[in-house]
Amino acid sequence: MKVKTILVSQPEPTVENSPYFDLIEKQKVKIDFRPFIHVEGVSGKEVRSQKVDLGNFTAVILTSRNAVDHYFRIADEMRFKVPDSMKYFCQSEAVAYYLQKYVVYRKRKIYVGKRTFTELSPLIKKYKTEKFLLPSSDKLKPEVPTVLDDLKVTWKQATFYKTVVSDLSDLKNVFYDILVFFSPSGIVSLLENFPDFEQKDTRIAVFGNTTVKAAADNGLRVDIQAPTPETPSMSMALEKYIKEANKGK
């Protein structure tokens, strides 16, 4: 089955040199982008109901740009002036860079991990006496509390935003050769929006083991998987598959 159309369950890339745009040009396929999930902030009242007083914490652990946005949104809503002495532990350079939207970078105590939460843990361990707040979504990766508990630090998780299923009803009668998913939540969104979904000849591409498991648990056939040693990115996995499928086109 040849590939002509692809739906990626994420927002359209904002950078001009996205590998997806190269795919469109080189492989002559149509790629649409549509977020299957989106983030909604919870209210300050909901945060208070979790027994969270922002003034009780000396450090904030930020795992994503959403965490950055919603921490400062809640601080503003609660009229809490974030002190200059606050320490920020950012999971990656991208998160730390984004923090500049809210603080003067060179004047703050910012500690940056490499990529994964586990790689951030040695930095947290160095500051064991701090009181850590972890603002997160309602879908927290299970490794995060395990790592923090193992470090034996004082910490508290609070839900500052939620992952919500997007309305995809306008796609009911639209069909794609490949659907691309990056999280279990995307799979949930597909099946909540289309409970009668039948895969048939639709190829499903997934990124990450948890997404593979979510697809399998819901009876979906995974045709394309990333990352692998040969195809570390989703765009590479798609290109490899398309080249094979469209041979002799």
Side-chain angles (χ1 to χ4, degrees), residues 64-123:
S64 68
R65 288 183 291 188
N66 278 323
V68 175
D69 280 336
H70 290 284
Y71 171 71
F72 285 98
R73 177 185 62 80
I74 288 293
D76 190 53
E77 194 175 321
M78 290 182 163
R79 295 185 173 82
F80 172 73
K81 187 180 184 306
V82 181
D84 293 348
S85 59
M86 184 65 73
K87 292 182 175 71
Y88 302 95
F89 291 79
C90 301
Q91 184 166 318
S92 66
E93 281 188 15
V95 175
Y97 184 77
Y98 188 72
L99 189 58
Q100 293 182 88
K101 182 177 173 183
Y102 296 96
V103 300
V104 181
Y105 204 85
R106 58 189 168 76
K107 292 186 178 179
R108 297 293 181 269
K109 294 170 181 174
I110 298 167
Y111 308 91
V112 187
K114 291 177 182 174
R115 190 176 58 86
T116 67
F117 193 79
T118 303
E119 289 168 330
L120 179 63
S121 63
L123 288 169

